[in-house]
Amino acid sequence: MTTMSTSSSSQSLKIGIVGFGNFGQFLAKTMIKQGHTLTATSRSDYSQLCLQMGIHFFRDVSAFLAADIDVIVLCTSILSLSEVVGSMPLTSLKRPTLFVDVLSVKEHPRELLLRELPEDSDILCTHPMFGPQTANNGWADHTFMYDKVRIRDEATCSSFIQIFATEGCKMVQMSCEEHDRAAAKSQFITHTIGRTLGEMDIQSTPIDTKGFETLVKLKETMMRNSFDLYSGLFVYNRFARQELENLEHAFYKVKETLMIQRSNGEQGHKRTES
């Protein structure tokens, strides 16, 4: 893993976004602000929104791929990536292109893109560890992870990475395996705790401690995310199952310790009474 800061200037890029949902729109706003030219395609019709944003929207994926694009950013869900990439008529590409994924798991898109994309396509796997909910006021100090999986055009790749460095992101270069191992211990566990608190339906009380207020906020934040995202974090991260088992084991260990303490306390109370 390498933590780095980047201060070099970047060239203006022609960026195409596949999947123009909330996260695609979130990224697009900053990319436009920096002077990059954007196009987009999506299963839903975002033509009016793109018109307002100054983005050329393509309903036809073949026409999108045939356009003069430097970088194609895959902003699909984890669960739909395979279907989306598999249905793209990649023969429509006119020149070597940098493909970037922004999924919350990394080994899955790495393997898929290496298998499906043309040999002359560059691949950059990334994970902006933030989104519209957590970085609505800017990207500064938020983490941007990336792995240069297959890069020949260093200038284009560096210019894309610079988008995030310019906004003040903490730039972390690590392998896709390292990412998934760490994310299973952090992001997946965070989502799991939030989802569990959601199942408990915890609510604020008149006597909340600061710690409990934090838990309520965690629950609310995690429950605003789609279950598809949470499911994807588990299904497509091979390290997640072990962390779920570790969490379950830890819970029962804590419960066991409490039961032992309770039993000891009751026995001590009985001896005192006798």
Side-chain angles (χ1 to χ4, degrees):
M1 180 187 75
T2 304
T3 302
M4 60 176 290
S5 60
T6 309
S7 58
S8 60
S9 60
S10 63
Q11 69 188 67
S12 177
L13 295 171
K14 297 173 183 176
I15 302 172
I17 295 179
V18 178
F20 205 64
N22 289 337
F23 195 71
Q25 296 167 32
F26 170 71
L27 294 179
K29 292 174 184 176
T30 295
M31 293 173 177
I32 292 171
K33 182 189 71 175
Q34 290 188 9
H36 301 288
T37 302
L38 266 65
T39 58
T41 188
S42 197
R43 287 180 293 184
S44 300
D45 186 0
Y46 290 100
S47 54
Q48 287 302 312
L49 175 60
C50 285
L51 183 63
Q52 296 170 14
M53 297 176 68
I55 298 171
H56 187 164
F57 184 78
F58 288 89
R59 290 291 293 164
D60 181 12
V61 179
S62 294
F64 169 82
L65 293 174
D68 187 24
I69 301 175
D70 299 312
V71 183
I72 292 178
V73 183
L74 300 168
C75 290
T76 70
S77 69
I78 298 171
L79 299 182
S80 66
L81 179 66
S82 180
E83 178 187 351
V84 170
V85 174
S87 65
M88 294 175 71
L90 296 171
T91 53
S92 298
L93 290 167
K94 297 302 183 184
R95 60 186 175 91
T97 306
L98 170 62
F99 279 78
V100 180
D101 93 274
V102 292
L103 272 60
S104 297
V105 296
K106 294 273 65 76
E107 286 190 315
H108 169 55
R110 179 186 186 276
E111 294 168 2
L112 178 70
L113 297 180
L114 283 172
R115 183 175 66 248
E116 298 292 338
L117 294 182
E119 180 62 30
D120 61 359
S121 296
D122 282 359
I123 301 172
L124 178 68
C125 287
T126 78
H127 184 188
M129 313 269 318
F130 53 91
Q133 295 180 31
T134 56
N136 192 42
N137 296 320
W139 301 357
D141 299 323
H142 290 282
T143 300
F144 178 76
M145 168 271 164
Y146 63 97
D147 183 9
K148 296 181 178 181
V149 175
R150 185 172 70 198
I151 301 297
R152 300 181 184 87
D153 185 346
E154 286 286 351
T156 297
C157 179
S158 295
S159 292
F160 182 82
I161 291 172
Q162 184 64 30
I163 293 171
F164 296 85
T166 296
E167 297 301 313
C169 289
K170 176 185 175 184
M171 310 297 289
V172 178
Q173 183 174 8
M174 62 166 42
S175 72
C176 292
E177 178 180 349
E178 287 178 297
H179 169 278
D180 282 5
R181 191 184 298 274
K185 295 176 181 291
S186 57
Q187 186 184 25
F188 174 69
I189 290 298
T190 301
H191 278 257
T192 300
I193 296 297
R195 287 277 167 183
T196 302
L197 296 175
E199 288 295 324
M200 294 174 63
D201 194 28
I202 65 168
Q203 303 291 337
S204 296
T205 75
I207 56 170
D208 286 358
T209 62
K210 293 298 182 183
F212 187 72
E213 288 177 357
T214 299
L215 290 179
V216 172
K217 289 179 181 177
L218 173 64
K219 179 209 74 171
E220 292 173 347
T221 300
M222 294 302 101
M223 295 304 288
R224 279 195 294 267
N225 289 308
S226 69
F227 191 81
D228 278 357
L229 170 59
Y230 179 53
S231 176
L233 294 175
F234 179 73
V235 174
Y236 289 103
N237 185 335
R238 61 190 173 101
F239 303 106
R241 180 183 295 274
Q242 182 60 57
E243 294 307 321
L244 187 61
E245 292 176 359
N246 291 346
L247 180 63
E248 184 179 25
H249 175 75
F251 173 80
Y252 282 109
K253 189 69 175 177
V254 170
K255 182 180 179 181
E256 180 183 44
T257 302
L258 285 175
M259 292 300 102
I260 291 173
Q261 290 297 316
R262 179 178 178 176
S263 177
N264 291 341
E266 289 175 347
Q267 292 175 12
H269 181 68
K270 289 179 181 178
R271 285 196 298 268
T272 301
E273 288 181 337
S274 63

